[in-house]
Amino acid sequence: GGTSYESSTGLLGSSRRHEKQIDRWVGERPRKAIYTSDRYEPVAVPLVRALCAFAGGIGAALSEEIAEPKTSETRNNLDRSSFVSWALPPAAIACSEWAIVAAGRCVLHSIASSKQTDWRCSHLSMFVVVVLHSAYALHSGIESFALHQFRRPVAELPHLMGVINACDAVASTLLENIQEMDGDRRLDLDLNNSKFLEWYNRIQMTISSRSEMTPVSERKNIVS
């Protein structure tokens, strides 16, 4: 379910008109900018920071299996169904999906439009790892929410799969583009989080499989 973000052109399925708007915020010479005490930054810096905090924060909250019981006196007598659980309205689901996709689009455009020889010199390069970890946090949180709220795997819940697909698409698109620009240089990832690395390796396997199935002459960078 949900929107398809896999595309051979555009920023995660965005339209050309949308890309022009993104460029105004995060391009090499963005029109919308902020100035700190000693440097120049696009206004997208606090924007992407907020988007990642929102998406990753929702995921972290949902990863909590159950909250505290309503009354401490009866804590030992309550079964799982009596515990307070999260409610996730449709608007919150949609906003979490849009937030991680928006963050991914901004970072993708920044690293692709940079005229520097190293993409790490772009305005938003420091958010690559942040977006990846936020995507994982949201992905993990939605999976946990599905299991504990509906007692079903998320693959059986179309209204949640849009978020899962968005997280995977953002991660795979970022990594695929970085590999094309960067080769085998490693990112500074959280190597102590085994579950994150398991998800990360699965994304890498998906990229490898897709690359092997696509003739070199037909491969296109998602960020055009």
Side-chain angles (χ1 to χ4, degrees):
T3 304
S4 173
Y5 297 103
E6 299 293 344
S7 173
S8 60
T9 60
L11 299 171
L12 288 164
S14 63
S15 66
R16 295 297 182 186
R17 181 180 179 183
H18 192 180
E19 288 180 38
K20 290 181 179 179
Q21 291 299 318
I22 295 174
D23 185 68
R24 295 182 63 182
W25 286 68
V26 301
E28 184 68 16
R29 298 180 60 84
R31 297 182 186 179
K32 297 182 180 294
I34 57 175
Y35 294 86
T36 59
S37 58
D38 60 349
R39 60 179 177 173
Y40 163 86
E41 289 183 339
V43 73
V45 169
L47 170 65
V48 174
R49 185 184 298 121
L51 290 170
C52 289
F54 176 77
I58 285 184
L62 293 177
S63 292
E64 297 295 329
E65 296 184 3
I66 47 179
E68 288 296 310
K70 295 179 180 179
T71 57
S72 58
E73 294 80 7
T74 56
R75 177 175 294 148
N76 295 329
N77 297 323
L78 292 174
D79 59 25
R80 290 179 64 88
S81 63
S82 301
F83 280 68
V84 178
S85 59
W86 288 105
L88 195 62
I93 298 173
C95 286
S96 66
E97 177 182 341
W98 295 338
I100 196 63
V101 171
R105 284 173 173 167
C106 288
V107 173
L108 277 167
H109 190 87
S110 179
I111 64 177
S113 64
S114 175
K115 293 182 173 62
Q116 304 293 332
T117 55
D118 189 343
W119 65 266
R120 288 173 173 80
C121 296
S122 63
H123 290 303
L124 301 183
S125 61
M126 67 282 201
F127 284 108
V128 169
V129 173
V130 178
V131 170
L132 288 175
H133 281 284
S134 297
Y136 165 73
L138 182 57
H139 185 286
S140 178
I142 291 294
E143 283 189 328
S144 180
F145 177 74
L147 289 174
H148 293 93
Q149 187 74 7
F150 299 100
R151 303 295 191 269
R152 296 166 62 186
V154 70
E156 298 179 5
L157 301 169
H159 70 292
L160 296 180
M161 275 304 296
V163 183
I164 296 294
N165 292 337
C167 293
D168 289 353
V170 166
S172 63
T173 304
L174 264 177
L175 292 171
E176 192 169 16
N177 277 269
I178 287 173
Q179 287 173 7
E180 290 183 8
M181 294 183 287
D182 219 17
D184 295 328
R185 291 180 64 182
R186 293 182 178 275
L187 295 172
D188 185 16
L189 302 173
D190 183 3
L191 300 179
N192 295 318
N193 189 332
S194 60
K195 291 185 177 180
F196 167 77
L197 290 178
E198 181 180 343
W199 174 77
Y200 175 83
N201 290 332
R202 180 173 60 77
I203 296 295
Q204 290 282 29
M205 290 178 62
T206 300
I207 295 173
S208 298
S209 299
R210 188 163 56 212
S211 178
E212 291 173 359
M213 294 175 63
T214 305
V216 175
S217 59
E218 296 181 10
R219 293 177 194 171
K220 295 181 181 179
N221 193 314
I222 289 184
V223 180
S224 58

